[in-house]
Amino acid sequence: MSRPATNPDPTPSSLNCGGRTLDLRHAAIMGVLNVTPNSFSDGGKFMNAAAALRHAEQMVAEGADIIDVGGESTRPGAQQISVQQELDRVIPVIEALHAAVTVPVSVDTSKPEVMRHATAAGAGLINDVYGLRRKGALAAAAASDVPVCVMHMQGEPHTMQQSPTYDNVVADVIAFLSARRDECVAAGIPAASVIVDPGFGFGKTVTHNLALLRNLTALTALGAPILVGLSRKSMIGSLLDLPVDERAAASVALALHAVQHGANIVRVHDVKMTRDAVRMMEIVNRHD
Ligand code: YH5
Protein backbone atom coordinates (compact mmCIF):
# COMPACT_ATOMS: atom_id res chain seq x y z
CA MET A 1 0.00 0.00 0.00
CA SER A 2 1.38 3.41 -0.87
CA ARG A 3 1.07 6.36 1.44
CA PRO A 4 1.74 10.03 0.83
CA ALA A 5 5.25 11.10 1.83
CA THR A 6 3.89 13.24 4.62
CA ASN A 7 4.21 13.02 8.37
CA PRO A 8 1.28 14.28 10.46
CA ASP A 9 3.62 15.04 13.39
CA PRO A 10 5.10 18.54 13.60
CA THR A 11 8.78 18.98 12.78
CA PRO A 12 10.58 18.75 16.15
CA SER A 13 11.83 22.08 17.59
CA SER A 14 14.90 20.43 19.09
CA LEU A 15 16.87 17.19 19.00
CA ASN A 16 18.39 15.39 21.98
CA CYS A 17 21.86 14.52 20.73
CA GLY A 18 23.11 12.13 23.40
CA GLY A 19 22.23 14.58 26.18
CA ARG A 20 23.20 17.76 24.30
CA THR A 21 20.40 19.81 22.75
CA LEU A 22 20.36 20.92 19.13
CA ASP A 23 17.86 23.80 19.01
CA LEU A 24 15.98 23.84 15.71
CA ARG A 25 13.82 26.91 16.36
CA HIS A 26 16.48 28.76 14.38
CA ALA A 27 18.56 27.41 11.51
CA ALA A 28 21.48 25.47 12.96
CA ILE A 29 25.03 25.64 11.62
CA MET A 30 26.87 22.32 11.30
CA GLY A 31 30.64 22.89 11.00
CA VAL A 32 32.52 20.41 8.78
CA LEU A 33 35.56 18.77 10.38
CA ASN A 34 37.46 16.57 7.94
CA VAL A 35 39.89 14.19 9.63
CA THR A 36 41.44 12.86 6.44
CA PRO A 37 45.20 12.78 5.82
CA ASN A 38 45.04 15.27 2.94
CA SER A 39 43.09 17.83 4.97
CA PHE A 40 45.92 18.25 7.54
CA SER A 41 49.03 16.99 5.82
CA ASP A 42 51.53 18.42 8.30
CA GLY A 43 52.92 15.73 10.59
CA GLY A 44 51.61 12.38 11.81
CA LYS A 45 48.51 11.14 13.61
CA PHE A 46 48.89 13.27 16.74
CA MET A 47 49.38 16.42 14.68
CA ASN A 48 46.24 15.54 12.73
CA ALA A 49 44.14 15.10 15.89
CA ALA A 50 45.55 18.26 17.49
CA ALA A 51 45.02 20.36 14.36
CA ALA A 52 41.49 18.98 13.93
CA LEU A 53 40.65 19.84 17.54
CA ARG A 54 41.92 23.42 17.12
CA HIS A 55 39.87 23.84 13.95
CA ALA A 56 36.73 22.48 15.65
CA GLU A 57 37.18 24.79 18.65
CA GLN A 58 37.51 27.74 16.28
CA MET A 59 34.27 26.78 14.51
CA VAL A 60 32.48 26.56 17.89
CA ALA A 61 33.85 30.00 18.83
CA GLU A 62 32.48 31.27 15.49
CA GLY A 63 29.01 29.97 16.35
CA ALA A 64 28.78 26.39 15.10
CA ASP A 65 25.84 24.60 16.73
CA ILE A 66 27.20 21.11 15.98
CA ILE A 67 30.49 19.72 14.60
CA ASP A 68 30.41 16.93 11.99
CA VAL A 69 33.50 14.70 12.18
CA GLY A 70 34.30 12.66 9.06
CA GLY A 71 37.23 10.36 8.39
CA GLU A 72 36.39 8.99 4.96
CA SER A 73 36.27 11.21 1.89
CA THR A 74 33.01 10.79 -0.03
CA ARG A 75 34.11 13.02 -2.89
CA PRO A 76 33.59 11.56 -6.35
CA GLY A 77 36.44 9.17 -7.11
CA ALA A 78 37.81 8.98 -3.56
CA GLN A 79 39.13 5.58 -2.45
CA GLN A 80 37.53 3.67 0.43
CA ILE A 81 39.25 3.02 3.75
CA SER A 82 39.05 0.13 6.23
CA VAL A 83 37.01 0.13 9.44
CA GLN A 84 40.22 0.26 11.48
CA GLN A 85 41.62 3.22 9.52
CA GLU A 86 38.39 5.15 9.96
CA LEU A 87 38.24 4.34 13.69
CA ASP A 88 41.90 5.44 14.13
CA ARG A 89 41.11 8.74 12.47
CA VAL A 90 37.80 9.73 14.05
CA ILE A 91 37.55 8.17 17.53
CA PRO A 92 40.41 10.12 19.22
CA VAL A 93 39.05 13.35 17.72
CA ILE A 94 35.44 12.66 18.79
CA GLU A 95 36.57 11.78 22.32
CA ALA A 96 38.73 14.91 22.69
CA LEU A 97 36.18 17.16 21.02
CA HIS A 98 33.29 15.88 23.15
CA ALA A 99 35.36 16.80 26.24
CA ALA A 100 36.52 20.17 24.87
CA VAL A 101 33.23 21.68 23.63
CA THR A 102 29.62 21.77 24.86
CA VAL A 103 27.90 21.55 21.45
CA PRO A 104 26.89 18.13 20.08
CA VAL A 105 29.39 16.21 17.99
CA SER A 106 28.19 14.37 14.88
CA VAL A 107 29.90 11.47 13.12
CA ASP A 108 29.86 11.34 9.30
CA THR A 109 30.06 7.60 8.64
CA SER A 110 28.34 4.72 6.87
CA LYS A 111 30.03 1.90 8.83
CA PRO A 112 28.09 0.25 11.71
CA GLU A 113 31.28 -0.38 13.73
CA VAL A 114 32.25 3.28 13.47
CA MET A 115 28.70 4.31 14.50
CA ARG A 116 28.97 2.13 17.64
CA HIS A 117 32.42 3.32 18.70
CA ALA A 118 31.75 6.96 17.81
CA THR A 119 28.55 7.18 19.85
CA ALA A 120 30.27 5.41 22.78
CA ALA A 121 33.03 8.06 22.49
CA GLY A 122 30.44 10.86 22.73
CA ALA A 123 29.02 11.43 19.25
CA GLY A 124 25.42 12.63 19.61
CA LEU A 125 24.28 12.31 15.99
CA ILE A 126 24.94 9.86 13.15
CA ASN A 127 25.23 11.47 9.70
CA ASP A 128 25.19 8.79 7.00
CA VAL A 129 25.51 9.71 3.31
CA TYR A 130 24.34 6.12 2.48
CA GLY A 131 21.11 6.71 4.44
CA LEU A 132 21.75 3.70 6.75
CA ARG A 133 21.56 1.29 3.79
CA ARG A 134 24.80 -0.57 4.55
CA LYS A 135 24.39 -3.97 6.25
CA GLY A 136 23.97 -3.55 10.01
CA ALA A 137 23.78 0.27 9.86
CA LEU A 138 20.09 0.59 10.83
CA ALA A 139 20.56 -1.72 13.83
CA ALA A 140 23.76 0.04 14.95
CA ALA A 141 22.08 3.44 14.67
CA ALA A 142 18.97 2.25 16.55
CA ALA A 143 21.10 0.78 19.37
CA SER A 144 23.09 4.02 19.69
CA ASP A 145 19.96 5.96 20.70
CA VAL A 146 20.99 9.23 18.99
CA PRO A 147 19.31 11.12 16.13
CA VAL A 148 20.30 10.19 12.58
CA CYS A 149 20.60 12.07 9.30
CA VAL A 150 19.63 9.97 6.28
CA MET A 151 20.89 11.37 3.00
CA HIS A 152 19.83 10.59 -0.55
CA MET A 153 22.56 9.34 -2.89
CA GLN A 154 22.10 7.71 -6.29
CA GLY A 155 24.83 5.10 -6.86
CA GLU A 156 28.16 4.85 -5.03
CA PRO A 157 30.71 7.65 -4.46
CA HIS A 158 33.22 6.35 -7.03
CA THR A 159 30.66 6.16 -9.88
CA MET A 160 27.74 8.40 -8.82
CA GLN A 161 28.61 11.34 -11.10
CA GLN A 162 28.96 9.24 -14.29
CA SER A 163 25.37 9.53 -15.60
CA PRO A 164 22.82 10.31 -12.90
CA THR A 165 19.24 9.98 -14.22
CA TYR A 166 15.82 10.52 -12.65
CA ASP A 167 12.17 10.51 -13.74
CA ASN A 168 11.64 13.51 -11.48
CA VAL A 169 14.52 14.27 -9.16
CA VAL A 170 12.41 16.08 -6.55
CA ALA A 171 9.71 13.37 -6.37
CA ASP A 172 12.32 10.57 -6.44
CA VAL A 173 14.36 12.10 -3.60
CA ILE A 174 11.24 12.71 -1.47
CA ALA A 175 10.02 9.12 -2.03
CA PHE A 176 13.48 7.76 -1.12
CA LEU A 177 13.73 9.84 2.08
CA SER A 178 10.19 8.90 3.11
CA ALA A 179 10.97 5.19 2.63
CA ARG A 180 14.26 5.47 4.53
CA ARG A 181 12.50 7.21 7.40
CA ASP A 182 9.95 4.36 7.48
CA GLU A 183 12.87 1.87 7.62
CA CYS A 184 14.40 3.81 10.50
CA VAL A 185 11.12 3.71 12.42
CA ALA A 186 10.73 -0.03 11.71
CA ALA A 187 14.26 -0.54 13.11
CA GLY A 188 13.30 1.26 16.35
CA ILE A 189 14.55 4.80 15.69
CA PRO A 190 11.88 7.33 16.76
CA ALA A 191 10.41 9.26 13.80
CA ALA A 192 11.25 12.51 15.61
CA SER A 193 14.95 11.52 15.59
CA VAL A 194 15.25 11.26 11.79
CA ILE A 195 16.74 14.18 9.84
CA VAL A 196 16.50 14.06 6.03
CA ASP A 197 18.96 15.41 3.45
CA PRO A 198 18.52 15.57 -0.36
CA GLY A 199 22.26 14.94 -0.84
CA PHE A 200 23.42 17.77 -3.10
CA GLY A 201 26.08 16.51 -5.52
CA PHE A 202 25.61 12.83 -4.65
CA GLY A 203 24.58 11.23 -7.95
CA LYS A 204 23.18 14.51 -9.31
CA THR A 205 23.99 16.79 -12.22
CA VAL A 206 24.04 20.57 -11.78
CA THR A 207 20.51 20.59 -13.28
CA HIS A 208 19.32 18.05 -10.67
CA ASN A 209 20.89 20.10 -7.86
CA LEU A 210 19.19 23.26 -9.13
CA ALA A 211 15.79 21.51 -9.39
CA LEU A 212 16.16 20.37 -5.76
CA LEU A 213 17.19 23.86 -4.63
CA ARG A 214 14.26 25.50 -6.45
CA ASN A 215 11.82 22.99 -4.96
CA LEU A 216 13.36 22.52 -1.53
CA THR A 217 10.10 23.60 0.14
CA ALA A 218 8.49 20.38 -1.15
CA LEU A 219 10.70 18.40 1.27
CA THR A 220 9.01 20.08 4.25
CA ALA A 221 5.97 17.81 3.55
CA LEU A 222 8.03 15.01 5.15
CA GLY A 223 7.65 16.77 8.51
CA ALA A 224 11.29 16.02 9.35
CA PRO A 225 14.18 18.39 10.05
CA ILE A 226 16.01 19.11 6.76
CA LEU A 227 19.79 19.19 6.55
CA VAL A 228 21.61 20.44 3.46
CA GLY A 229 25.25 20.34 2.43
CA LEU A 230 26.09 22.78 -0.34
CA SER A 231 29.28 24.34 1.00
CA ARG A 232 32.12 24.58 -1.58
CA LYS A 233 30.55 21.87 -3.74
CA SER A 234 31.41 21.41 -7.41
CA MET A 235 28.11 22.84 -8.70
CA ILE A 236 29.49 26.23 -7.59
CA GLY A 237 32.71 25.50 -9.44
CA SER A 238 30.77 24.54 -12.59
CA LEU A 239 28.30 27.44 -12.55
CA LEU A 240 30.68 30.23 -11.51
CA ASP A 241 34.00 28.76 -12.68
CA LEU A 242 35.61 29.06 -9.24
CA PRO A 243 38.27 26.90 -7.57
CA VAL A 244 37.32 25.29 -4.24
CA ASP A 245 39.11 27.94 -2.14
CA GLU A 246 37.07 30.77 -3.74
CA ARG A 247 33.56 29.36 -3.21
CA ALA A 248 32.74 30.87 0.21
CA ALA A 249 30.44 33.72 -0.93
CA ALA A 250 28.49 31.46 -3.30
CA SER A 251 28.23 28.85 -0.53
CA VAL A 252 26.73 31.46 1.81
CA ALA A 253 24.22 32.45 -0.91
CA LEU A 254 23.14 28.80 -1.26
CA ALA A 255 22.88 28.38 2.53
CA LEU A 256 20.63 31.47 2.75
CA HIS A 257 18.44 30.19 -0.08
CA ALA A 258 18.17 26.78 1.60
CA VAL A 259 17.21 28.24 4.99
CA GLN A 260 14.67 30.56 3.36
CA HIS A 261 13.11 27.49 1.71
CA GLY A 262 12.91 25.20 4.73
CA ALA A 263 16.37 23.89 5.63
CA ASN A 264 16.82 23.53 9.41
CA ILE A 265 20.52 22.62 9.45
CA VAL A 266 23.22 23.80 7.04
CA ARG A 267 26.48 21.83 6.86
CA VAL A 268 29.23 24.34 6.09
CA HIS A 269 32.98 24.93 6.09
CA ASP A 270 32.82 28.72 6.58
CA VAL A 271 30.97 28.98 9.89
CA LYS A 272 31.28 32.67 10.79
CA MET A 273 30.23 33.99 7.36
CA THR A 274 27.28 31.60 7.19
CA ARG A 275 26.18 32.31 10.75
CA ASP A 276 26.28 36.11 10.27
CA ALA A 277 24.34 35.88 6.98
CA VAL A 278 21.69 33.49 8.35
CA ARG A 279 21.18 35.51 11.54
CA MET A 280 20.85 38.74 9.58
CA MET A 281 18.28 37.16 7.27
CA GLU A 282 16.33 35.77 10.23
CA ILE A 283 16.19 39.25 11.80
CA VAL A 284 14.85 40.77 8.57
CA ASN A 285 12.29 37.96 8.24
CA ARG A 286 11.01 38.36 11.79
CA HIS A 287 7.89 40.48 11.65
CA ASP A 288 6.28 39.84 15.05
C1 YH5 B 1 25.96 16.42 2.57
O1 YH5 B 1 25.62 17.09 1.58
N1 YH5 B 1 28.43 16.10 2.04
S1 YH5 B 1 31.00 15.19 2.20
C2 YH5 B 1 32.97 18.07 -2.65
C3 YH5 B 1 33.36 19.41 -2.54
C4 YH5 B 1 33.11 20.11 -1.38
C5 YH5 B 1 32.47 19.48 -0.33
C6 YH5 B 1 34.33 19.47 -4.70
N2 YH5 B 1 28.87 14.84 3.81
C7 YH5 B 1 27.29 15.96 2.76
O2 YH5 B 1 31.13 18.15 1.70
N3 YH5 B 1 26.65 14.85 4.81
C8 YH5 B 1 29.36 15.40 2.69
O3 YH5 B 1 34.02 20.10 -3.52
C9 YH5 B 1 27.58 15.19 3.88
N4 YH5 B 1 25.06 16.06 3.53
C10 YH5 B 1 25.40 15.30 4.62
N5 YH5 B 1 24.45 15.01 5.51
C11 YH5 B 1 31.11 16.04 0.62
C12 YH5 B 1 31.42 17.50 0.73
C13 YH5 B 1 32.09 18.15 -0.43
C14 YH5 B 1 32.34 17.45 -1.58
Side-chain angles (χ1 to χ4, degrees), residues 206-207 209-210 213 234-242 254:
V206 169
T207 305
N209 289 325
L210 288 173
L213 275 167
S234 22
M235 71 174 291
I236 299 169
S238 311
L239 291 166
L240 301 184
D241 191 24
L242 291 172
L254 293 177

Side-chain angles (χ1 to χ4, degrees), residues 30 32 34 68 72-76 106 108-109 125-129 149-152 160 195-202 227-235 237 244 247 267-269:
M30 172 183 267
V32 178
N34 287 319
D68 189 39
E72 179 174 37
S73 175
T74 45
R75 290 180 186 211
S106 158
D108 188 343
T109 190
L125 189 145
I126 294 168
N127 173 30
D128 184 1
V129 300
C149 177
V150 291
M151 198 193 79
H152 174 274
M160 64 188 179
I195 301 164
V196 298
D197 183 336
F200 288 102
F202 287 85
L227 189 154
V228 297
L230 293 151
S231 183
R232 300 186 184 174
K233 284 194 175 170
S234 22
M235 71 174 291
V244 70
R247 297 176 188 170
R267 182 181 178 277
V268 304
H269 300 86

Side-chain angles (χ1 to χ4, degrees), residues 4-86:
T6 54
N7 176 357
D9 301 321
T11 304
S13 59
S14 72
L15 291 170
N16 176 357
C17 297
R20 298 183 183 190
T21 303
L22 185 63
D23 184 354
L24 296 179
R25 291 172 304 174
H26 298 277
I29 309 289
M30 172 183 267
V32 178
L33 187 67
N34 287 319
V35 197
T36 49
N38 50 348
S39 40
F40 295 99
S41 47
D42 52 322
K45 250 186 213 170
F46 173 75
M47 279 297 290
N48 280 346
L53 199 60
R54 276 200 306 277
H55 182 210
E57 285 177 323
Q58 188 193 329
M59 289 194 286
V60 172
E62 290 174 353
D65 299 295
I66 180 166
I67 302 294
D68 189 39
V69 181
E72 179 174 37
S73 175
T74 45
R75 290 180 186 211
Q79 76 259 31
Q80 292 180 41
I81 57 168
S82 71
V83 171
Q84 195 55 51
Q85 272 179 301
E86 194 174 327

